[in-house]
Amino acid sequence: MDVIICKNDTEVGAYAAAKIAKVARQVGSQVTIGVATGSSPLRTYQALAAMVAAGQLDLSQGSAFALDEYVGLPFGHPQTYHEVIRKTVTEPLGLDPARVHCPNGFAEDLRQACADYEAAIKQAGGVDIQILGLGSNGHIGFNEPTSSLNSRTRIKTLTEQTRKDNQRFFASLDEVPRHCLTQGLGTIMAARHVVLVANGKNKAAAVKSVIEGPITAMFPGSVLQMHQWATIIIDEAAATELELADYYRQMYDNLPDWQRVMLPTGDVG
Ligand code: GLP
């Protein structure tokens, strides 16, 4: 696991985008990116969009798979992840909407929709690089505490904490859905690279559990300790509870150039 501690959320976005662009260039034009909703990756998408606009990155032949979708909202509701991904990812990154997929939380048969989603990821050849945010309770995607570490895409019930965390996007708590479809932890772990971004003091405890806690379904993000190519990119505020923060800083400062990423400014990060 690589841990990169950045000055602020803009720098987190720049490093995450640089990492994603590096993988995209290695894989080629048909790269498959796993995309997350939430506020944490927004700076990453902005930085990627800037690279696309500057002609430094072309994702027009790439594919994307979203992590999750609410169940219970009408199709087209602005808070469906289908809509959020369209506005924050598909359009700014110049992806072809035909190759951007979300779990179908509007399906009559939700279990079939989950199986279809797993099949679609497989058919695309798997995810090359997965972008993740982190819930304040340690969830990734919508894999709430006690999720099976081997789970695949399925229906989940949201915890009250997650509903309250996401209330800010809705007029009231009552409007926040209680159910969702989410890629499982096993699905996420099958991605070839994983980049988790987190910002702010309210994520510090969850970040600590992901990086330094025991691997436990109580903090689902901790399963990333088992991933061979996981990069955790966080700001100073999110790093405040880390016991080995100085070690991560030293480790990154002494990386050989080939392990570093090229920032949009042209500097080696
Ligand atoms: C939601 C999403 C997660 C996201 C989390 C954190 O629950 N399903 O994928 O990581 O929110 O959101 P934020 O980045 O806004 O704190």
Side-chain angles (χ1 to χ4, degrees), residues 190-263:
R192 286 182 270 279
H193 294 260
V194 173
V195 174
L196 183 146
V197 288
N199 308 296
K201 187 99 185 72
N202 68 329
K203 296 292 173 72
V207 163
K208 160 93 181 157
S209 70
V210 165
I211 300 172
E212 296 178 345
I215 298 172
T216 167
M218 281 300 282
F219 295 103
S222 64
V223 73
L224 298 178
Q225 291 173 31
M226 298 286 288
H227 199 287
Q228 210 181 349
W229 297 104
T231 306
I232 314 294
I233 309 179
I234 54 180
D235 68 357
E236 290 285 354
T240 46
E241 292 194 24
L242 293 175
E243 202 178 311
L244 299 183
D246 286 342
Y247 170 61
Y248 310 135
R249 289 190 185 97
Q250 281 164 21
M251 188 161 52
Y252 200 76
D253 287 348
N254 291 296
L255 275 185
D257 273 359
W258 65 268
Q259 272 191 323
R260 293 174 175 275
V261 291
M262 187 68 75
L263 293 171

Side-chain angles (χ1 to χ4, degrees), residues 37-41 67-68 81 133-135 139 141-142 162 166 168 203:
T37 54
S39 41
S40 307
L67 282 169
D68 42 20
Y81 286 173
L134 181 64
H139 76 222
F142 267 139
T162 296
N166 289 358
R168 65 190 193 280
K203 296 292 173 72

Side-chain angles (χ1 to χ4, degrees):
M1 185 177 264
D2 284 332
V3 180
I4 305 176
I5 301 173
C6 296
K7 282 199 299 279
N8 52 41
D9 65 339
T10 305
E11 201 176 280
V12 169
Y15 272 79
K19 173 80 193 174
I20 293 154
K22 185 176 177 181
V23 171
R25 291 187 188 112
Q26 280 166 353
V27 172
S29 61
Q30 299 197 351
V31 64
T32 299
I33 304 177
V35 291
T37 54
S39 41
S40 307
L42 291 178
R43 297 277 186 198
T44 306
Y45 298 140
Q46 284 164 8
L48 284 170
M51 288 182 196
V52 170
Q56 296 164 342
L57 181 67
D58 178 7
L59 296 174
S60 60
Q61 303 300 310
S63 303
F65 285 88
L67 282 169
D68 42 20
E69 177 60 282
Y70 287 119
V71 170
L73 294 179
F75 186 77
H77 185 291
Q79 290 309 325
T80 59
Y81 286 173
H82 192 270
E83 280 297 297
V84 172
I85 292 292
R86 183 176 66 75
K87 282 188 220 131
T88 61
V89 178
T90 313
E91 290 173 1
L93 270 54
L95 283 152
D96 180 346
R99 284 193 293 270
V100 178
H101 311 269
C102 284
N104 185 359
F106 318 99
E108 286 268 305
D109 185 342
L110 291 170
R111 292 178 75 164
Q112 186 60 48
C114 293
D116 291 347
Y117 203 61
E118 287 285 330
I121 295 173
K122 196 170 172 192
Q123 202 189 347
V127 170
D128 294 304
I129 183 155
Q130 175 67 55
I131 305 165
L132 295 171
L134 181 64
S136 62
N137 62 0
H139 76 222
I140 52 176
F142 267 139
N143 291 281
E144 298 285 35
T146 72
S147 287
S148 158
L149 301 182
N150 255 330
S151 47
R152 308 304 296 201
T153 304
R154 68 212 184 290
I155 306 159
K156 284 294 287 180
T157 301
L158 300 174
T159 61
E160 281 308 289
Q161 184 175 342
T162 296
R163 293 185 64 241
K164 282 181 191 149
D165 285 350
N166 289 358
Q167 186 184 339
R168 65 190 193 280
F169 298 112
F170 295 86
S172 70
L173 184 59
D174 278 351
E175 286 184 26
V176 184
R178 291 183 180 278
H179 297 97
C180 65
L181 303 188
T182 181
Q183 285 189 31
L185 295 171
T187 320
I188 292 169
M189 287 293 284
R192 286 182 270 279
H193 294 260
V194 173
V195 174
L196 183 146
V197 288
N199 308 296
K201 187 99 185 72
N202 68 329
K203 296 292 173 72
V207 163
K208 160 93 181 157
S209 70
V210 165
I211 300 172
E212 296 178 345
I215 298 172
T216 167
M218 281 300 282
F219 295 103
S222 64
V223 73
L224 298 178
Q225 291 173 31
M226 298 286 288
H227 199 287
Q228 210 181 349
W229 297 104
T231 306
I232 314 294
I233 309 179
I234 54 180
D235 68 357
E236 290 285 354
T240 46
E241 292 194 24
L242 293 175
E243 202 178 311
L244 299 183
D246 286 342
Y247 170 61
Y248 310 135
R249 289 190 185 97
Q250 281 164 21
M251 188 161 52
Y252 200 76
D253 287 348
N254 291 296
L255 275 185
D257 273 359
W258 65 268
Q259 272 191 323
R260 293 174 175 275
V261 291
M262 187 68 75
L263 293 171
T265 53
D267 297 329
V268 176

